Short mmCIF file of all heavy atoms in Angstrom, two decimals:
data_model
loop_
_atom_site.label_atom_id
_atom_site.label_comp_id
_atom_site.label_asym_id
_atom_site.label_seq_id
_atom_site.Cartn_x
_atom_site.Cartn_y
_atom_site.Cartn_z
N HIS A 1208 16.01 10.95 -10.93
CA HIS A 1208 16.66 10.55 -12.12
C HIS A 1208 17.41 9.17 -11.76
O HIS A 1208 18.25 9.14 -10.77
CB HIS A 1208 17.75 11.63 -12.52
CG HIS A 1208 18.38 11.20 -13.97
ND1 HIS A 1208 19.36 10.21 -14.05
CD2 HIS A 1208 17.97 11.60 -15.17
CE1 HIS A 1208 19.69 10.20 -15.27
NE2 HIS A 1208 18.83 10.92 -15.96
N CYS A 1209 17.08 8.18 -12.51
CA CYS A 1209 17.49 6.79 -12.21
C CYS A 1209 18.23 6.23 -13.40
O CYS A 1209 17.77 6.16 -14.50
CB CYS A 1209 16.29 5.86 -11.94
SG CYS A 1209 15.00 6.65 -10.91
N SER A 1210 19.53 5.76 -13.01
CA SER A 1210 20.38 5.16 -14.06
C SER A 1210 20.77 3.80 -13.62
O SER A 1210 21.39 3.65 -12.49
CB SER A 1210 21.58 5.92 -14.36
OG SER A 1210 21.17 7.22 -14.82
N ARG A 1211 20.57 2.75 -14.34
CA ARG A 1211 20.97 1.42 -14.01
C ARG A 1211 22.58 1.43 -14.08
O ARG A 1211 23.18 1.89 -15.03
CB ARG A 1211 20.58 0.42 -15.07
CG ARG A 1211 20.70 -1.00 -14.41
CD ARG A 1211 20.40 -2.04 -15.46
NE ARG A 1211 19.09 -1.90 -16.08
CZ ARG A 1211 18.71 -2.68 -17.13
NH1 ARG A 1211 19.57 -3.70 -17.60
NH2 ARG A 1211 17.60 -2.60 -17.80
N ALA A 1212 23.19 0.94 -12.92
CA ALA A 1212 24.71 1.03 -12.85
C ALA A 1212 25.10 0.08 -11.70
O ALA A 1212 24.27 -0.11 -10.76
CB ALA A 1212 25.09 2.49 -12.56
N PRO A 1213 26.28 -0.34 -11.72
CA PRO A 1213 26.84 -1.20 -10.68
C PRO A 1213 26.82 -0.43 -9.27
O PRO A 1213 27.05 0.79 -9.35
CB PRO A 1213 28.20 -1.54 -11.03
CG PRO A 1213 28.34 -1.34 -12.51
CD PRO A 1213 27.31 -0.16 -12.81
N ARG A 1214 26.73 -1.18 -8.21
CA ARG A 1214 26.77 -0.50 -6.87
C ARG A 1214 28.06 0.20 -6.73
O ARG A 1214 29.19 -0.31 -7.07
CB ARG A 1214 26.48 -1.59 -5.75
CG ARG A 1214 26.64 -0.95 -4.49
CD ARG A 1214 26.12 -1.97 -3.41
NE ARG A 1214 24.68 -2.16 -3.42
CZ ARG A 1214 23.91 -1.30 -2.70
NH1 ARG A 1214 24.37 -0.27 -2.05
NH2 ARG A 1214 22.57 -1.52 -2.72
N GLN A 1215 28.06 1.46 -6.22
CA GLN A 1215 29.25 2.23 -5.94
C GLN A 1215 29.01 2.87 -4.55
O GLN A 1215 27.88 3.11 -4.08
CB GLN A 1215 29.45 3.32 -6.94
CG GLN A 1215 30.03 2.95 -8.22
CD GLN A 1215 30.23 4.17 -9.15
OE1 GLN A 1215 29.26 4.68 -9.69
NE2 GLN A 1215 31.36 4.64 -9.18
N ASP A 1216 30.12 3.34 -3.99
CA ASP A 1216 30.00 4.15 -2.74
C ASP A 1216 29.76 5.53 -3.16
O ASP A 1216 30.57 6.35 -3.77
CB ASP A 1216 31.34 4.08 -1.92
CG ASP A 1216 31.27 4.94 -0.64
OD1 ASP A 1216 30.09 5.46 -0.31
OD2 ASP A 1216 32.28 5.01 -0.04
N LEU A 1217 28.43 6.01 -2.92
CA LEU A 1217 28.00 7.35 -3.44
C LEU A 1217 27.94 8.34 -2.17
O LEU A 1217 27.36 9.39 -2.35
CB LEU A 1217 26.68 7.29 -4.11
CG LEU A 1217 26.65 6.33 -5.43
CD1 LEU A 1217 25.29 6.21 -5.96
CD2 LEU A 1217 27.70 6.95 -6.41
N ALA A 1218 28.56 7.86 -1.03
CA ALA A 1218 28.35 8.73 0.08
C ALA A 1218 28.90 10.10 -0.08
O ALA A 1218 28.33 11.20 0.36
CB ALA A 1218 29.15 8.02 1.31
N MET A 1219 30.06 10.21 -0.69
CA MET A 1219 30.64 11.63 -0.88
C MET A 1219 29.81 12.45 -1.83
O MET A 1219 29.61 13.67 -1.53
CB MET A 1219 32.05 11.47 -1.51
CG MET A 1219 32.87 12.81 -1.54
SD MET A 1219 34.59 12.66 -1.85
CE MET A 1219 34.50 12.16 -3.66
N GLN A 1220 29.30 11.88 -2.95
CA GLN A 1220 28.45 12.72 -3.86
C GLN A 1220 27.14 13.08 -3.10
O GLN A 1220 26.69 14.18 -3.32
CB GLN A 1220 28.12 11.81 -5.11
CG GLN A 1220 29.31 11.62 -6.02
CD GLN A 1220 30.04 10.29 -5.68
OE1 GLN A 1220 30.15 9.94 -4.55
NE2 GLN A 1220 30.59 9.69 -6.75
N ASN A 1221 26.56 12.12 -2.34
CA ASN A 1221 25.46 12.42 -1.58
C ASN A 1221 25.53 13.69 -0.64
O ASN A 1221 24.80 14.54 -0.53
CB ASN A 1221 24.95 11.21 -0.80
CG ASN A 1221 23.66 11.48 -0.10
OD1 ASN A 1221 22.70 11.75 -0.74
ND2 ASN A 1221 23.65 11.41 1.29
N ARG A 1222 26.64 13.71 0.14
CA ARG A 1222 27.09 14.70 0.95
C ARG A 1222 27.27 16.02 0.15
O ARG A 1222 26.77 17.11 0.55
CB ARG A 1222 28.22 14.48 1.89
CG ARG A 1222 28.03 13.50 3.02
CD ARG A 1222 29.17 13.48 3.94
NE ARG A 1222 30.38 13.03 3.44
CZ ARG A 1222 30.72 11.76 3.21
NH1 ARG A 1222 29.96 10.76 3.76
NH2 ARG A 1222 31.86 11.34 2.76
N PHE A 1223 27.88 15.98 -0.95
CA PHE A 1223 28.13 17.14 -1.77
C PHE A 1223 26.73 17.80 -2.21
O PHE A 1223 26.57 18.93 -2.02
CB PHE A 1223 28.98 16.75 -2.92
CG PHE A 1223 29.10 17.89 -3.96
CD1 PHE A 1223 29.96 19.06 -3.64
CD2 PHE A 1223 28.41 17.92 -5.19
CE1 PHE A 1223 30.03 20.06 -4.51
CE2 PHE A 1223 28.56 18.91 -6.02
CZ PHE A 1223 29.38 20.04 -5.77
N PHE A 1224 25.89 17.05 -2.77
CA PHE A 1224 24.65 17.42 -3.34
C PHE A 1224 23.78 18.01 -2.26
O PHE A 1224 23.13 19.09 -2.37
CB PHE A 1224 23.85 16.42 -4.10
CG PHE A 1224 24.55 16.26 -5.47
CD1 PHE A 1224 24.99 14.91 -5.86
CD2 PHE A 1224 24.78 17.22 -6.43
CE1 PHE A 1224 25.59 14.73 -7.15
CE2 PHE A 1224 25.26 17.00 -7.67
CZ PHE A 1224 25.82 15.79 -8.04
N THR A 1225 23.86 17.20 -1.13
CA THR A 1225 22.95 17.75 -0.04
C THR A 1225 23.50 19.10 0.55
O THR A 1225 22.61 20.03 0.83
CB THR A 1225 22.89 16.62 1.15
OG1 THR A 1225 22.38 15.38 0.53
CG2 THR A 1225 22.10 17.07 2.24
N THR A 1226 24.73 19.22 0.60
CA THR A 1226 25.38 20.44 1.14
C THR A 1226 25.02 21.53 0.17
O THR A 1226 24.74 22.59 0.68
CB THR A 1226 26.80 20.27 1.35
OG1 THR A 1226 27.05 19.15 2.35
CG2 THR A 1226 27.49 21.59 1.80
N LEU A 1227 25.06 21.26 -1.06
CA LEU A 1227 24.89 22.28 -2.07
C LEU A 1227 23.54 22.95 -1.96
O LEU A 1227 23.14 24.04 -2.05
CB LEU A 1227 25.15 21.80 -3.38
CG LEU A 1227 25.15 22.62 -4.65
CD1 LEU A 1227 26.25 23.80 -4.45
CD2 LEU A 1227 25.39 21.96 -5.92
N LYS A 1228 22.52 21.92 -1.73
CA LYS A 1228 21.16 22.36 -1.67
C LYS A 1228 20.90 23.14 -0.38
O LYS A 1228 20.07 24.06 -0.41
CB LYS A 1228 20.17 21.08 -1.56
CG LYS A 1228 20.13 20.43 -2.93
CD LYS A 1228 19.05 19.37 -3.01
CE LYS A 1228 19.59 18.08 -2.65
NZ LYS A 1228 18.62 17.03 -2.78
N ILE A 1229 21.61 22.78 0.76
CA ILE A 1229 21.37 23.56 1.95
C ILE A 1229 22.05 24.95 1.76
O ILE A 1229 21.52 25.94 2.25
CB ILE A 1229 22.16 22.87 3.14
CG1 ILE A 1229 21.31 21.59 3.41
CG2 ILE A 1229 22.26 23.74 4.35
CD1 ILE A 1229 21.97 20.71 4.40
N ILE A 1230 23.24 25.10 1.20
CA ILE A 1230 23.92 26.29 1.05
C ILE A 1230 23.10 27.30 0.13
O ILE A 1230 23.07 28.46 0.53
CB ILE A 1230 25.33 26.15 0.30
CG1 ILE A 1230 26.29 25.49 1.40
CG2 ILE A 1230 25.81 27.46 -0.18
CD1 ILE A 1230 27.52 25.06 0.79
N ASN A 1231 22.45 26.79 -0.90
CA ASN A 1231 21.63 27.69 -1.73
C ASN A 1231 20.22 27.83 -1.32
O ASN A 1231 19.34 28.29 -1.95
CB ASN A 1231 21.76 27.37 -3.22
CG ASN A 1231 21.19 26.03 -3.42
OD1 ASN A 1231 20.10 25.67 -2.91
ND2 ASN A 1231 21.78 25.26 -4.48
N LEU A 1232 19.90 27.37 -0.02
CA LEU A 1232 18.61 27.45 0.69
C LEU A 1232 17.53 26.80 -0.16
O LEU A 1232 16.31 27.16 -0.03
CB LEU A 1232 18.29 28.92 0.88
CG LEU A 1232 19.25 29.69 1.73
CD1 LEU A 1232 18.90 31.18 1.74
CD2 LEU A 1232 19.43 29.05 3.11
N GLY A 1233 17.74 25.86 -1.15
CA GLY A 1233 16.81 25.25 -1.92
C GLY A 1233 16.09 26.03 -2.88
O GLY A 1233 15.19 25.62 -3.59
N ILE A 1234 16.59 27.25 -3.16
CA ILE A 1234 15.85 28.25 -4.15
C ILE A 1234 15.89 27.68 -5.59
O ILE A 1234 14.84 27.66 -6.15
CB ILE A 1234 16.50 29.74 -4.02
CG1 ILE A 1234 16.11 30.24 -2.60
CG2 ILE A 1234 16.08 30.54 -5.09
CD1 ILE A 1234 16.97 31.44 -2.35
N PRO A 1235 17.20 27.15 -6.03
CA PRO A 1235 17.11 26.68 -7.46
C PRO A 1235 16.12 25.44 -7.50
O PRO A 1235 15.51 25.31 -8.50
CB PRO A 1235 18.57 26.25 -7.63
CG PRO A 1235 19.35 27.13 -6.72
CD PRO A 1235 18.40 27.26 -5.51
N THR A 1236 16.10 24.62 -6.48
CA THR A 1236 15.20 23.37 -6.55
C THR A 1236 13.66 23.83 -6.65
O THR A 1236 12.89 23.33 -7.26
CB THR A 1236 15.45 22.35 -5.51
OG1 THR A 1236 15.37 22.94 -4.22
CG2 THR A 1236 16.97 21.84 -5.66
N LEU A 1237 13.39 24.89 -5.84
CA LEU A 1237 12.06 25.36 -5.81
C LEU A 1237 11.72 25.89 -7.18
O LEU A 1237 10.66 25.53 -7.68
CB LEU A 1237 11.88 26.40 -4.70
CG LEU A 1237 10.56 27.09 -4.62
CD1 LEU A 1237 9.36 26.25 -4.35
CD2 LEU A 1237 10.57 28.37 -3.69
N LEU A 1238 12.54 26.63 -7.72
CA LEU A 1238 12.31 27.18 -9.13
C LEU A 1238 12.20 26.08 -10.14
O LEU A 1238 11.47 26.13 -11.08
CB LEU A 1238 13.40 28.16 -9.59
CG LEU A 1238 13.45 29.42 -8.65
CD1 LEU A 1238 14.70 30.31 -8.97
CD2 LEU A 1238 12.17 30.29 -8.76
N TYR A 1239 13.00 25.00 -9.97
CA TYR A 1239 12.91 23.87 -10.85
C TYR A 1239 11.52 23.21 -10.63
O TYR A 1239 10.92 22.76 -11.68
CB TYR A 1239 14.04 22.88 -10.49
CG TYR A 1239 14.08 21.68 -11.49
CD1 TYR A 1239 14.15 21.82 -12.85
CD2 TYR A 1239 14.23 20.40 -10.84
CE1 TYR A 1239 14.14 20.75 -13.67
CE2 TYR A 1239 14.40 19.35 -11.72
CZ TYR A 1239 14.38 19.50 -13.05
OH TYR A 1239 14.36 18.29 -13.91
N GLY A 1240 11.07 23.06 -9.44
CA GLY A 1240 9.84 22.45 -9.21
C GLY A 1240 8.62 23.29 -9.84
O GLY A 1240 7.74 22.74 -10.51
N ILE A 1241 8.73 24.53 -9.71
CA ILE A 1241 7.67 25.36 -10.18
C ILE A 1241 7.71 25.40 -11.71
O ILE A 1241 6.66 25.27 -12.43
CB ILE A 1241 7.74 26.89 -9.70
CG1 ILE A 1241 7.48 26.90 -8.22
CG2 ILE A 1241 6.92 27.83 -10.52
CD1 ILE A 1241 7.79 28.24 -7.53
N GLY A 1242 8.94 25.40 -12.28
CA GLY A 1242 9.07 25.33 -13.82
C GLY A 1242 8.47 23.96 -14.27
O GLY A 1242 7.85 23.88 -15.31
#
Side-chain angles (χ1 to χ4, degrees):
H1208 186 279
C1209 315
S1210 299
R1211 195 186 311 170
R1214 180 171 281 280
Q1215 282 183 281
D1216 180 5
L1217 299 173
M1219 187 169 69
Q1220 291 93 323
N1221 184 58
R1222 281 191 300 274
F1223 172 76
F1224 287 121
T1225 301
T1226 301
L1227 190 60
K1228 288 188 269 187
I1229 292 169
I1230 288 171
N1231 65 36
L1232 304 175
I1234 294 168
T1236 58
L1237 174 63
L1238 295 174
Y1239 184 52
I1241 292 168

